[in-house]
Amino acid sequence: MARPRKAVPGVDPNLLIRDAANLLPAQSRRLFMRGIVSVGALAALTGCDIIDGDTSEKALRVVSNFNDWVQARLFNPHTLAPTYSESDVTRPFPFNGFYSEDEAPVIDGDKYRLEVGGLIDNKKPWTLPDLYKLPEVSQITRLVCVEGWSVIGSWQGVRLSDFLQIVGADTRAKYVWFQCAEGYSNTIDMPTALHPQTQLTLKFDHKVLPTIYGFPVRIRIPTKLGFKNPKYVTAMWVQNNDAGGYWENQGYNWFSGL
Ligand SMILES: Nc1nc2c(c(=O)[nH]1)N[C@H]1C(S)=C(S)[C@@H](COP(=O)(O)O)O[C@H]1N2
Ligand SMILES: [Mo]
């Protein structure tokens, strides 16, 4: 008799694969379409079968191995994530966090300062009016969560590479670390920080970020999974040591992207 196949709670393996494939550049997406877009193939690729897994930890390990596979073969700091049109934007755009929506931190915009530190020449903290004066770029890109869903959003803000230049960051440093108002944190590698689509995001849909989407500052990285996109950012440090992050420290794959 066939062994009953258990689903991993909260994770649809087919969605995970489809969403991950969506994040890939054209040439690797074609690779997927040629036959490895299946749960079985993912199992072969990563040595781990999501469907038979009975814990979400196992599913995370599979996704993590999958990311390592993508990283080893496809990482190129210049690869662009796909962009979409206004009509593709997911409305309403969902909230996600390690707590429920009504517990999202409410930040006083008048008192807010973005601290910048570490290997940076000008450590003056930034007020919101000063941040809003910086040159604005816009993107409509997909946010992919490891939980197995993805959504398309419209984000405006300053290119992070421009901001790093303005504050006189030493871009030979290895990492940029972000601290968030509610205890979340995240570290990204410098090539990702300098990627042309990595954005210090101040607006959603051309309007100041609402609380649930990370007011007043989030970092939008369309080449990385959702959890590498910190919201409610209060401090940014340029440094050579890897300070980890909220989920990374609990076993999520650090790289988690293209
Ligand atoms: N400060 C903070 N940033 C965070 C999180 C969080 O819990 N706190 N969750 C991350 C995860 S797992 C995802 S998928 C996205 C969700 O972004 P959204 O709420 O705009 O959909 O935010 C990321 N950034
Ligand atoms: Mo996520």
Side-chain angles (χ1 to χ4, degrees):
M1 202 173 80
R3 197 152 54 102
R5 308 205 115 205
K6 269 189 264 168
V8 179
V11 178
D12 177 341
N14 292 302
L15 263 181
L16 271 181
I17 300 165
R18 204 192 62 205
D19 285 340
N22 267 329
L23 252 189
L24 296 174
Q27 92 268 21
S28 48
R29 218 163 34 235
R30 277 197 295 277
L31 198 71
F32 266 86
M33 299 317 159
R34 279 212 303 267
I36 57 169
V37 197
S38 72
V39 175
L42 186 71
L45 203 60
T46 61
C48 227
D49 189 344
I50 284 190
I51 287 202
D52 282 336
D54 53 4
T55 63
S56 52
E57 281 78 7
K58 175 124 182 251
L60 287 175
R61 204 157 63 239
V62 174
V63 174
S64 178
N65 290 345
F66 164 73
N67 271 305
D68 289 343
W69 183 89
V70 170
Q71 175 193 6
R73 283 158 192 79
L74 305 170
F75 179 67
N76 168 348
H78 306 295
T79 300
L80 295 178
T83 56
Y84 301 87
S85 64
E86 201 64 50
S87 58
D88 297 322
V89 174
T90 308
R91 298 175 203 282
F93 193 85
F95 164 89
N96 195 39
F98 65 92
Y99 42 81
S100 66
E101 189 167 324
D102 52 10
E103 292 166 314
V106 177
I107 294 176
D108 179 343
D110 294 335
K111 296 209 186 95
Y112 175 84
R113 298 288 180 277
L114 174 66
E115 267 183 69
V116 293
L119 303 168
I120 282 179
D121 288 337
N122 186 353
K123 299 196 171 109
K124 177 181 74 80
W126 286 73
T127 63
L128 275 181
D130 285 345
L131 287 172
Y132 292 139
K133 279 182 211 140
L134 295 172
E136 186 178 281
V137 289
S138 183
Q139 63 172 274
I140 299 177
T141 49
R142 189 183 287 275
L143 182 142
V144 180
C145 177
V146 282
E147 288 164 6
W149 49 269
S150 82
V151 282
I152 293 172
S154 165
W155 286 280
Q156 293 74 38
V158 195
R159 203 173 264 147
L160 187 62
S161 64
D162 288 348
F163 187 70
L164 287 168
Q165 201 190 2
I166 291 164
V167 298
D170 181 354
T171 53
R172 293 165 307 178
K174 285 200 189 134
Y175 303 107
V176 183
W177 173 74
F178 299 98
Q179 176 72 57
C180 308
E182 25 56 306
Y184 200 83
S185 62
N186 203 233
T187 304
I188 61 172
D189 56 286
M190 188 58 79
T192 297
L194 298 177
H195 186 283
Q197 289 173 309
T198 299
Q199 191 187 84
L200 190 156
T201 300
L202 301 162
K203 295 178 185 166
F204 185 90
D205 245 351
H206 301 273
K207 293 189 272 301
V208 167
L209 280 175
T211 290
I212 53 167
Y213 305 151
F215 178 83
V217 172
R218 77 183 291 169
I219 304 297
R220 180 64 193 124
I221 312 178
T223 52
K224 297 285 180 199
L225 290 172
F227 79 90
K228 302 265 336 168
N229 287 241
K231 302 184 284 188
Y232 317 105
V233 173
T234 52
M236 182 187 100
W237 290 74
V238 173
Q239 55 193 39
N240 278 310
N241 64 305
D242 174 9
Y246 184 85
W247 289 115
E248 290 85 337
N249 299 348
Q250 297 175 50
Y252 276 50
N253 171 284
W254 188 91
F255 191 79
S256 283
L258 302 185

